[in-house]
Amino acid sequence: MEISAKARKNIDKLLSTIVAVAEVNEFKANPDKMGYGTIVEAKLDKNKGPVANVIIQNGTLKVGDTVVSGVT
């Protein structure tokens, strides 16, 4: 399956596959540790503002947390 964030191709399938694998393997996050991970897709929504799909690799990302990507 071809995946491209730039061409917006199959991102929804990639994200649903990641969720399915996490559920099957019963991956759990440490709720007391600051979250860090990889941004898969980011966009500017005219109603919500900046929106990102993120794969959290360790810790927990909570609503209202500040997200830093590189130097931004």
Side-chain angles (χ1 to χ4, degrees), residues 1-71:
M1 167 174 51
E2 292 182 3
I3 299 170
S4 171
K6 188 174 181 180
R8 297 182 176 164
K9 186 174 183 179
N10 292 321
I11 296 298
D12 55 339
K13 292 179 183 175
L14 171 64
L15 295 174
S16 63
T17 301
I18 291 168
V19 169
V21 169
E23 287 176 356
V24 168
N25 290 306
E26 297 182 8
F27 292 149
K28 304 291 180 201
N30 181 343
D32 300 322
K33 196 169 187 183
M34 181 171 48
Y36 72 87
T38 302
I39 297 175
V40 177
E41 179 183 30
K43 63 184 175 183
L44 186 58
D45 183 287
K46 70 178 188 175
N47 296 319
K48 297 179 185 177
V51 177
N53 290 322
V54 182
I55 298 173
I56 302 300
Q57 294 166 301
N58 202 344
T60 302
L61 185 63
K62 297 178 180 116
V63 173
D65 281 355
T66 300
V67 176
V68 177
S69 176
V71 294

